[in-house]
Amino acid sequence: MIEWSGRFVVALLALGWFATALPYVLWFTELRRASVTAVTAWTLLVPVVGVLRGVIVLGERPTTAQVVGYTIMVAALTVVANSDRHARDPATQNPRINH
């Protein structure tokens, strides 16, 4: 049986808002501005955020391999995000192509 304490209600609201509603709104807001490829690539940050929360909240220590792996993931995501932006910029299009 659920015990509806103040702590439980706060946790429920926090999970409902920060883990469900806010990401949903951010996802569809970003889909208006960027391609599906670029937006989907950002889901790769889920493990990075999980490890960072473990470090901050639980005092966990990531291994060197984890830090290197997450650094590579963030760098790759930056490349994907910037290449998508570059592809949509009319100033970077080939001027020889006549439409």
Side-chain angles (χ1 to χ4, degrees):
M1 174 171 265
I2 296 174
E3 184 179 324
W4 291 88
S5 66
R7 184 175 179 183
F8 173 78
V9 171
V10 169
L12 184 64
L13 292 173
L15 286 172
W17 173 249
F18 291 110
T20 306
L22 182 61
Y24 182 85
V25 170
L26 292 173
W27 175 267
F28 285 102
T29 300
E30 189 60 23
L31 276 177
R32 287 189 215 154
R33 300 184 321 160
S35 71
V36 173
T37 303
V39 175
T40 302
W42 289 104
T43 61
L44 295 173
L45 283 178
V46 170
V48 176
V49 171
V51 169
L52 286 175
R53 289 181 70 189
V55 168
I56 293 167
V57 175
L58 302 174
E60 294 178 352
R61 298 191 57 146
T63 66
T64 302
Q66 287 174 318
V67 172
V68 170
Y70 296 142
T71 302
I72 291 170
M73 281 177 36
V74 170
L77 289 172
T78 303
V79 169
V80 168
N82 287 330
S83 67
D84 182 58
R85 187 175 301 130
H86 180 75
R88 291 184 291 122
D89 185 3
T92 62
Q93 300 299 318
N94 189 342
R96 294 181 180 207
I97 298 175
N98 295 325
H99 297 282

CSV table of all heavy atoms in Angstrom, one decimal, residues 51-83:
chain,number,residue,atom,x,y,z
A,51,VAL,N,25.7,9.0,-14.9
A,51,VAL,CA,26.9,8.9,-14.2
A,51,VAL,C,27.2,10.2,-13.4
A,51,VAL,O,27.7,10.2,-12.3
A,51,VAL,CB,28.1,8.6,-15.1
A,51,VAL,CG1,29.4,8.7,-14.5
A,51,VAL,CG2,27.9,7.1,-15.6
A,52,LEU,N,27.0,11.4,-14.1
A,52,LEU,CA,27.2,12.6,-13.4
A,52,LEU,C,26.3,12.8,-12.1
A,52,LEU,O,26.8,13.3,-11.1
A,52,LEU,CB,26.9,13.8,-14.3
A,52,LEU,CG,28.0,14.1,-15.4
A,52,LEU,CD1,27.5,15.2,-16.3
A,52,LEU,CD2,29.3,14.4,-14.8
A,53,ARG,N,25.1,12.3,-12.2
A,53,ARG,CA,24.2,12.3,-11.0
A,53,ARG,C,24.8,11.4,-9.9
A,53,ARG,O,24.7,11.7,-8.8
A,53,ARG,CB,22.8,12.0,-11.4
A,53,ARG,CG,22.1,13.1,-12.2
A,53,ARG,CD,20.7,12.8,-12.5
A,53,ARG,NE,19.9,12.8,-11.3
A,53,ARG,CZ,18.7,12.4,-11.3
A,53,ARG,NH1,18.1,11.9,-12.3
A,53,ARG,NH2,18.0,12.5,-10.2
A,54,GLY,N,25.3,10.3,-10.4
A,54,GLY,CA,25.9,9.3,-9.4
A,54,GLY,C,27.1,10.0,-8.7
A,54,GLY,O,27.3,9.8,-7.5
A,55,VAL,N,27.9,10.7,-9.5
A,55,VAL,CA,29.1,11.4,-8.9
A,55,VAL,C,28.6,12.5,-7.9
A,55,VAL,O,29.1,12.6,-6.8
A,55,VAL,CB,29.9,12.0,-10.0
A,55,VAL,CG1,31.0,13.0,-9.5
A,55,VAL,CG2,30.6,10.9,-10.9
A,56,ILE,N,27.6,13.3,-8.3
A,56,ILE,CA,27.2,14.4,-7.5
A,56,ILE,C,26.4,13.9,-6.3
A,56,ILE,O,26.7,14.4,-5.2
A,56,ILE,CB,26.4,15.4,-8.3
A,56,ILE,CG1,27.3,16.1,-9.4
A,56,ILE,CG2,25.7,16.5,-7.5
A,56,ILE,CD1,26.5,16.8,-10.5
A,57,VAL,N,25.4,13.1,-6.5
A,57,VAL,CA,24.5,12.7,-5.4
A,57,VAL,C,25.1,11.6,-4.5
A,57,VAL,O,25.0,11.7,-3.3
A,57,VAL,CB,23.2,12.2,-6.0
A,57,VAL,CG1,22.2,11.7,-4.9
A,57,VAL,CG2,22.5,13.4,-6.8
A,58,LEU,N,25.7,10.6,-5.1
A,58,LEU,CA,26.2,9.4,-4.4
A,58,LEU,C,27.7,9.4,-4.1
A,58,LEU,O,28.2,8.5,-3.4
A,58,LEU,CB,25.8,8.1,-5.1
A,58,LEU,CG,24.3,8.0,-5.4
A,58,LEU,CD1,24.1,6.7,-6.3
A,58,LEU,CD2,23.5,7.9,-4.1
A,59,GLY,N,28.4,10.4,-4.7
A,59,GLY,CA,29.9,10.4,-4.5
A,59,GLY,C,30.6,9.3,-5.2
A,59,GLY,O,31.7,9.0,-4.8
A,60,GLU,N,30.0,8.7,-6.2
A,60,GLU,CA,30.7,7.7,-7.0
A,60,GLU,C,31.9,8.3,-7.8
A,60,GLU,O,31.9,9.5,-8.1
A,60,GLU,CB,29.7,7.0,-8.0
A,60,GLU,CG,28.6,6.3,-7.3
A,60,GLU,CD,27.7,5.7,-8.3
A,60,GLU,OE1,27.8,6.0,-9.5
A,60,GLU,OE2,26.8,4.9,-7.8
A,61,ARG,N,32.9,7.4,-8.1
A,61,ARG,CA,34.0,7.9,-8.8
A,61,ARG,C,34.1,7.1,-10.2
A,61,ARG,O,34.3,5.9,-10.2
A,61,ARG,CB,35.3,7.6,-8.0
A,61,ARG,CG,35.3,8.4,-6.7
A,61,ARG,CD,36.6,8.3,-6.1
A,61,ARG,NE,37.6,8.8,-7.0
A,61,ARG,CZ,38.7,9.5,-6.7
A,61,ARG,NH1,38.9,9.7,-5.5
A,61,ARG,NH2,39.5,9.9,-7.7
A,62,PRO,N,33.9,7.8,-11.3
A,62,PRO,CA,34.0,7.1,-12.6
A,62,PRO,C,35.4,6.7,-12.9
A,62,PRO,O,36.4,7.3,-12.4
A,62,PRO,CB,33.5,8.2,-13.6
A,62,PRO,CG,33.8,9.5,-12.9
A,62,PRO,CD,33.6,9.2,-11.4
A,63,THR,N,35.6,5.6,-13.7
A,63,THR,CA,36.9,5.2,-14.1
A,63,THR,C,37.4,6.1,-15.2
A,63,THR,O,36.7,6.8,-15.8
A,63,THR,CB,36.8,3.7,-14.6
A,63,THR,OG1,36.1,3.7,-15.8
A,63,THR,CG2,36.2,2.8,-13.5
A,64,THR,N,38.7,5.9,-15.4
A,64,THR,CA,39.4,6.7,-16.5
A,64,THR,C,38.7,6.4,-17.8
A,64,THR,O,38.5,7.2,-18.7
A,64,THR,CB,40.9,6.5,-16.5
A,64,THR,OG1,41.4,6.8,-15.3
A,64,THR,CG2,41.5,7.3,-17.6
A,65,ALA,N,38.5,5.1,-18.0
A,65,ALA,CA,37.8,4.6,-19.3
A,65,ALA,C,36.5,5.3,-19.5
A,65,ALA,O,36.1,5.7,-20.6
A,65,ALA,CB,37.7,3.1,-19.3
A,66,GLN,N,35.7,5.4,-18.4
A,66,GLN,CA,34.4,6.0,-18.5
A,66,GLN,C,34.5,7.5,-18.9
A,66,GLN,O,33.8,8.0,-19.7
A,66,GLN,CB,33.6,5.9,-17.2
A,66,GLN,CG,33.1,4.5,-16.9
A,66,GLN,CD,32.5,4.4,-15.5
A,66,GLN,OE1,33.0,4.9,-14.5
A,66,GLN,NE2,31.4,3.6,-15.4
A,67,VAL,N,35.4,8.2,-18.2
A,67,VAL,CA,35.6,9.6,-18.5
A,67,VAL,C,36.0,9.8,-20.0
A,67,VAL,O,35.5,10.7,-20.7
A,67,VAL,CB,36.6,10.2,-17.6
A,67,VAL,CG1,37.0,11.6,-18.0
A,67,VAL,CG2,36.1,10.2,-16.1
A,68,VAL,N,36.9,9.0,-20.5
A,68,VAL,CA,37.4,9.0,-21.9
A,68,VAL,C,36.2,8.7,-22.8
A,68,VAL,O,35.9,9.5,-23.8
A,68,VAL,CB,38.5,8.1,-22.1
A,68,VAL,CG1,38.8,8.0,-23.6
A,68,VAL,CG2,39.8,8.5,-21.4
A,69,GLY,N,35.4,7.7,-22.5
A,69,GLY,CA,34.3,7.4,-23.3
A,69,GLY,C,33.2,8.5,-23.4
A,69,GLY,O,32.7,8.8,-24.4
A,70,TYR,N,32.9,9.0,-22.2
A,70,TYR,CA,31.9,10.1,-22.2
A,70,TYR,C,32.4,11.4,-22.9
A,70,TYR,O,31.6,12.1,-23.5
A,70,TYR,CB,31.5,10.4,-20.7
A,70,TYR,CG,30.8,9.2,-20.1
A,70,TYR,CD1,31.0,8.9,-18.8
A,70,TYR,CD2,29.9,8.4,-20.8
A,70,TYR,CE1,30.4,7.8,-18.2
A,70,TYR,CE2,29.3,7.3,-20.2
A,70,TYR,CZ,29.5,7.1,-18.9
A,70,TYR,OH,28.9,6.0,-18.3
A,71,THR,N,33.7,11.6,-22.8
A,71,THR,CA,34.3,12.8,-23.5
A,71,THR,C,34.1,12.6,-25.0
A,71,THR,O,33.8,13.5,-25.7
A,71,THR,CB,35.7,13.0,-23.1
A,71,THR,OG1,35.8,13.1,-21.7
A,71,THR,CG2,36.4,14.2,-23.8
A,72,ILE,N,34.4,11.4,-25.5
A,72,ILE,CA,34.3,11.1,-26.9
A,72,ILE,C,32.8,11.2,-27.3
A,72,ILE,O,32.5,11.8,-28.4
A,72,ILE,CB,34.8,9.7,-27.2
A,72,ILE,CG1,36.3,9.6,-27.1
A,72,ILE,CG2,34.4,9.2,-28.6
A,72,ILE,CD1,36.9,8.3,-27.1
A,73,MET,N,31.9,10.8,-26.5
A,73,MET,CA,30.4,10.9,-26.8
A,73,MET,C,30.0,12.3,-26.9
A,73,MET,O,29.3,12.7,-27.9
A,73,MET,CB,29.6,10.2,-25.8
A,73,MET,CG,29.5,8.7,-26.0
A,73,MET,SD,28.6,7.7,-24.7
A,73,MET,CE,27.3,8.8,-24.3
A,74,VAL,N,30.4,13.1,-26.0
A,74,VAL,CA,30.0,14.6,-26.0
A,74,VAL,C,30.7,15.3,-27.2
A,74,VAL,O,30.0,16.1,-27.9
A,74,VAL,CB,30.5,15.3,-24.7
A,74,VAL,CG1,30.3,16.8,-24.8
A,74,VAL,CG2,29.6,14.7,-23.5
A,75,ALA,N,31.9,14.9,-27.6
A,75,ALA,CA,32.5,15.5,-28.7
A,75,ALA,C,31.8,15.1,-30.0
A,75,ALA,O,31.5,15.9,-30.9
A,75,ALA,CB,34.0,15.1,-28.8
A,76,ALA,N,31.4,13.8,-30.1
A,76,ALA,CA,30.7,13.4,-31.3
A,76,ALA,C,29.3,14.0,-31.4
A,76,ALA,O,28.9,14.4,-32.5
A,76,ALA,CB,30.5,11.9,-31.2
A,77,LEU,N,28.7,14.2,-30.3
A,77,LEU,CA,27.4,14.9,-30.3
A,77,LEU,C,27.5,16.3,-30.7
A,77,LEU,O,26.6,16.9,-31.4
A,77,LEU,CB,26.7,14.8,-28.9
A,77,LEU,CG,26.2,13.4,-28.6
A,77,LEU,CD1,25.7,13.4,-27.1
A,77,LEU,CD2,25.1,13.0,-29.5
A,78,THR,N,28.6,17.0,-30.3
A,78,THR,CA,28.8,18.4,-30.7
A,78,THR,C,29.0,18.4,-32.2
A,78,THR,O,28.5,19.3,-32.9
A,78,THR,CB,30.0,18.9,-30.0
A,78,THR,OG1,29.8,18.8,-28.6
A,78,THR,CG2,30.3,20.4,-30.3
A,79,VAL,N,29.7,17.5,-32.8
A,79,VAL,CA,30.0,17.4,-34.2
A,79,VAL,C,28.6,17.2,-35.0
A,79,VAL,O,28.3,17.9,-35.9
A,79,VAL,CB,31.0,16.3,-34.6
A,79,VAL,CG1,31.0,16.1,-36.1
A,79,VAL,CG2,32.3,16.7,-34.1
A,80,VAL,N,27.8,16.3,-34.5
A,80,VAL,CA,26.5,16.0,-35.1
A,80,VAL,C,25.6,17.3,-35.1
A,80,VAL,O,25.0,17.7,-36.1
A,80,VAL,CB,25.8,14.8,-34.5
A,80,VAL,CG1,24.4,14.7,-34.9
A,80,VAL,CG2,26.6,13.6,-34.8
A,81,ALA,N,25.6,17.9,-33.9
A,81,ALA,CA,24.7,19.1,-33.8
A,81,ALA,C,25.2,20.2,-34.7
A,81,ALA,O,24.4,20.9,-35.3
A,81,ALA,CB,24.7,19.5,-32.3
A,82,ASN,N,26.5,20.4,-34.7
A,82,ASN,CA,27.0,21.5,-35.6
A,82,ASN,C,26.9,21.2,-37.1
A,82,ASN,O,26.6,22.1,-37.9
A,82,ASN,CB,28.4,21.8,-35.2
A,82,ASN,CG,28.5,22.6,-33.9
A,82,ASN,OD1,27.6,23.3,-33.5
A,82,ASN,ND2,29.6,22.4,-33.1
A,83,SER,N,27.0,20.0,-37.4
A,83,SER,CA,26.9,19.6,-38.9
A,83,SER,C,25.5,19.8,-39.3
A,83,SER,O,25.2,20.2,-40.4
A,83,SER,CB,27.4,18.2,-39.1
A,83,SER,OG,26.5,17.3,-38.5
